[in-house]
């Protein structure tokens, strides 16, 4: 339900100049239930980063992030041990804190624009990679960006997510969805029986990870066989939340497909088995260097990893991509607000995709997804979350959330129900998270 732009306090027109006097970061290693595969490789753990910023005026804020080196730079991930990749990204977090302490800012968007050139240079130096992927940089910035947003709210007296949305981004984030549909992610190794169980629990949008490891031929053969197995199991199962009464599919290759013809073969196979009409969208199928038009494939394509700025988003839109995927928990809330503004101005739908983040970060992302225009064909917000199926210590991680037990935290029949309490408390993200704050004591 859209209710127009939120009311913002008059103080928002003149935000304070913020100077960071102290900054520190800590991390926790969280093991996964099983190796998690995408981008042709596998993760076994994810580091949870906590960054604490203290302003010259005495306000303190702790921002969180989940590091995913495989998402950030798949080639770097493959070239090192998993531990070494995480250590390099955390080293970039620490180096960036020195840059932040030397940079006064008014809004977190302003801060990010000021520090990016120096952070990019530091990232290349730390990793020894002249061609370090931009997403590695952005992922390292997430905890700092989130802390900056919380510090910005404290400095200006903002009590809710609505209040801290800067004026240029209010129109893009002016909706109030009562529900958010949840994409149920299916990695390479998940048993099909688990997918069927998810549908029986009420999930009605199934996100299939494509781009299997190996050559392009091996990848395509596995991806097609995987779709056949999943569709065979789900094709006759009903879904009460879809207009056609059947399960929707989305796919995500994380840029593994080298050529359009490879995707054409996959889509042709989908038509052969009767799955094509179930495809809601296909996320980031192609490598970033593929710049030819893609609006002749017959499906809605979403741009994710390849969008690092407004310029990248415009490039993808000009190619024929018709969805922009926001990853505030992977590429910063500041960048996601900028991309959401561009999308709203061009009436391009957006969804929020996961990074297997912790429960607190899910609500950071939920605040974003809740305020986007309802997704076409779904009639509500759309986001992915998969931490519950991947973290070994998920129950303990949920207990860290300041609103643990709140009804909006649980998926019911494939959706998050967002009542007035969710919006009043901003999903709990502006409240103290004691577990992570205690890392600094």
């Amino acid at each position: 339900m859209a209710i127009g732009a939120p009311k913002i306090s008059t103080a928002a027109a003149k935000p304070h100049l913020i100077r960071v006097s102290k900054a520190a970061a800590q991390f926790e290693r969280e093991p996964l239930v099983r190796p998690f595969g995408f981008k042709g490789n596998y993760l076994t753990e994810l580091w949870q980063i906590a960054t604490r910023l203290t302003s010259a005026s005495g306000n303190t804020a702790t921002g969180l992030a989940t590091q995913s080196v495989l998402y950030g730079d798949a080639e770097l991930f493959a070239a090192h041990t998993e531990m070494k990749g995480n250590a390099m990204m955390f080293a970039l977090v620490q180096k960036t804190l020195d840059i932040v302490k030397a940079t006064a800012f008014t809004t977190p968007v302003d801060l990010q624009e000021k520090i990016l050139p120096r952070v990019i240079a530091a990232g290349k130096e730390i990793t020894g990679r002249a061609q370090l992927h931009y997403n590695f940089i952005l992922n390292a910035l997430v905890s700092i960006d989130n802390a900056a947003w919380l510090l910005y709210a404290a400095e200006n007296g903002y009590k809710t997510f609505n209040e801290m949305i800067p004026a240029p981004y209010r129109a893009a984030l002016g909706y109030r969805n009562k529900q958010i549909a949840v994409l149920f992610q299916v990695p390479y190794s998940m048993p099909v029986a688990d997918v069927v169980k998810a549908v029986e629990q009420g999930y009605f949008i199934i996100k299939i990870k494509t781009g299997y490891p190996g050559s392009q031929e091996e990848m395509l053969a596995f991806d097609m066989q995987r779709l056949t197995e999943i569709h065979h199991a789900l094709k006759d199962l009903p879904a009460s939340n879809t207009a056609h009464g059947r399960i929707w599919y989305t796919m995500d290759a994380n840029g593994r497909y080298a050529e359009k013809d490879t995707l054409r073969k996959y889509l042709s196979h989908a038509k052969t088995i009767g799955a094509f009409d179930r495809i809601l969208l296909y996320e980031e199928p192609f490598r970033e260097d593929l710049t030819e038009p893609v609006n002749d494939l017959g499906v809605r394509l979403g741009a994710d990893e390849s969008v690092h700025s407004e310029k990248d988003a415009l490039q993808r839109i000009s190619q024929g991509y018709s969805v922009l995927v926001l990853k505030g928990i992977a590429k910063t809330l500041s960048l996601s607000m900028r991309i959401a503004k561009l999308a709203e101005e061009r009436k391009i739908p957006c969804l929020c995709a996961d990074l297997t983040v912790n429960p607190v970060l899910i609500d950071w992302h939920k605040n974003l997804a809740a305020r986007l225009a309802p997704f076409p064909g779904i009639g509500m917000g759309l986001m992915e979350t998969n931490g519950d199926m991947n973290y070994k210590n998920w129950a303990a991680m949920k207990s860290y959330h300041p609103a643990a037990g709140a009804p909006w935290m649980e998926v019911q029949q494939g959706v998050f129900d967002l009542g007035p309490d969710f919006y009043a408390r901003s999903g709990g993200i502006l409240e103290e998270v004691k577990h992570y704050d205690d890392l600094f004591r």
Side-chain angles (χ1 to χ4, degrees):
M1 177 179 70
I3 63 172
K7 290 184 178 180
I8 307 293
S9 88
T10 54
K14 296 181 180 180
H16 295 181
L17 184 67
I18 302 169
R19 299 183 186 277
V20 173
S21 59
K22 297 179 183 179
Q26 299 283 358
F27 68 90
E28 283 190 326
R29 298 168 61 186
E30 288 289 354
L32 303 180
V33 174
R34 66 183 70 85
F36 177 60
F38 68 104
K39 282 199 173 188
N41 220 314
Y42 291 88
L43 295 169
T44 65
E45 66 177 20
L46 288 164
W47 287 20
Q48 311 303 311
I49 310 302
T51 291
R52 168 167 282 195
L53 301 180
T54 301
S55 70
S57 60
N59 286 307
T60 297
T62 302
L64 304 181
T66 296
Q67 287 191 172
S68 182
V69 178
L70 177 53
Y71 173 83
D73 191 318
E75 291 184 3
L76 182 147
F77 180 90
H80 299 279
T81 65
E82 193 170 3
M83 171 74 79
K84 180 65 178 294
N86 273 302
M88 287 191 288
M89 186 177 283
F90 186 67
L92 180 56
V93 172
Q94 294 176 305
K95 177 61 178 178
T96 301
L97 292 180
D98 293 333
I99 299 171
V100 169
K101 285 191 292 183
T103 310
F105 65 98
T106 52
T107 73
V109 179
D110 167 46
L111 174 64
Q112 187 175 106
E113 291 175 349
K114 287 181 175 180
I115 68 174
L116 259 177
R118 283 172 287 171
V119 177
I120 291 170
K124 292 178 179 180
E125 181 180 356
I126 288 168
T127 62
R129 290 178 62 83
Q131 302 301 318
L132 181 65
H133 199 288
Y134 202 66
N135 286 338
F136 185 97
I137 302 293
L138 292 171
N139 194 186
L141 282 173
V142 170
S143 65
I144 298 167
D145 186 68
N146 286 345
W149 278 105
L150 295 176
L151 199 60
Y152 167 72
E155 291 280 308
N156 291 282
Y158 305 150
K159 304 299 183 183
T160 67
F161 189 91
N162 290 348
E163 290 181 340
M164 76 177 191
I165 299 172
Y169 312 105
R170 294 176 200 163
L173 301 177
Y175 291 82
R176 301 293 178 270
N177 288 293
K178 292 183 178 179
Q179 292 181 313
I180 299 176
V182 178
L183 294 157
F184 181 86
Q185 187 183 94
V186 182
Y188 306 141
S189 58
M190 176 177 284
V192 174
D194 289 357
V195 187
V196 173
K197 183 178 179 181
V199 171
E200 291 172 345
Q201 292 172 344
Y203 288 96
F204 54 96
I205 307 175
I206 302 301
K207 179 174 179 175
I208 303 167
K209 278 293 185 184
T210 52
Y212 188 73
S215 68
Q216 291 287 294
E217 292 76 17
E218 292 168 332
M219 173 193 73
L220 180 61
F222 177 91
D223 288 352
M224 291 193 299
Q225 179 60 29
R226 185 71 162 154
L227 179 60
T228 299
E229 296 170 352
I230 292 171
H231 181 61
H232 178 75
L234 304 186
K235 61 186 176 67
D236 296 323
L237 299 182
S240 59
N241 281 314
T242 62
H244 49 43
R246 300 296 183 186
I247 306 301
W248 279 115
Y249 305 144
T250 75
M251 291 85 183
D252 185 0
N254 294 109
R256 280 271 294 150
Y257 280 45
E259 299 176 349
K260 282 175 62 176
D261 190 55
T262 308
L263 182 56
R264 282 198 183 96
K265 291 176 181 177
Y266 180 88
L267 296 175
S268 177
H269 176 72
K271 291 176 181 178
T272 299
I273 65 174
F276 184 80
D277 292 339
R278 307 282 191 89
I279 301 176
L280 181 65
L281 78 148
Y282 200 122
E283 288 183 46
E284 202 70 55
F286 302 116
R287 294 176 181 173
E288 289 188 36
D289 56 6
L290 191 148
T291 57
E292 59 189 285
V294 297
N295 54 358
D296 57 349
L297 292 166
V299 295
R300 182 186 281 124
L301 296 187
D304 177 1
E305 286 97 323
S306 59
V307 176
H308 323 116
S309 65
E310 290 96 327
K311 180 181 178 182
D312 296 324
L314 290 172
Q315 164 66 26
R316 291 303 183 228
I317 292 170
S318 71
Q319 287 178 249
Y321 286 80
S322 56
V323 173
L324 293 177
V325 180
L326 304 183
K327 261 191 161 79
I329 41 70
K331 296 191 288 188
T332 75
L333 177 61
S334 291
L335 176 60
S336 294
M337 282 192 180
R338 289 163 49 194
I339 301 303
K341 176 179 181 291
L342 179 148
E344 193 275 334
E345 291 168 350
R346 290 158 179 77
K347 304 308 174 188
I348 301 292
C350 295
L351 63 93
C352 292
D354 201 9
L355 193 74
T356 313
V357 296
N358 64 59
V360 177
L361 287 172
I362 288 175
D363 275 307
W364 274 87
H365 224 199
K366 203 180 296 173
N367 272 286
L368 188 63
R371 291 167 171 80
L372 297 169
F375 197 84
I378 300 298
M380 61 184 80
L382 182 58
M383 72 178 286
E384 174 196 0
T385 173
N386 59 66
D388 59 328
M389 69 177 73
N390 286 303
Y391 282 108
K392 185 175 292 185
N393 302 319
W394 186 249
M397 295 170 73
K398 282 177 67 178
S399 73
Y400 307 155
H401 197 299
W408 74 71
M409 290 181 62
E410 302 300 329
V411 180
Q412 301 290 340
Q413 293 297 304
V415 303
F416 287 118
D417 287 308
L418 308 180
D421 188 47
F422 170 80
Y423 287 102
R425 292 184 66 181
S426 302
I429 68 167
L430 277 73
E431 302 169 27
E432 179 186 17
V433 186
K434 185 177 184 300
H435 174 83
Y436 295 107
D437 277 336
D438 284 349
L439 296 178
F440 298 95
R441 296 188 178 121

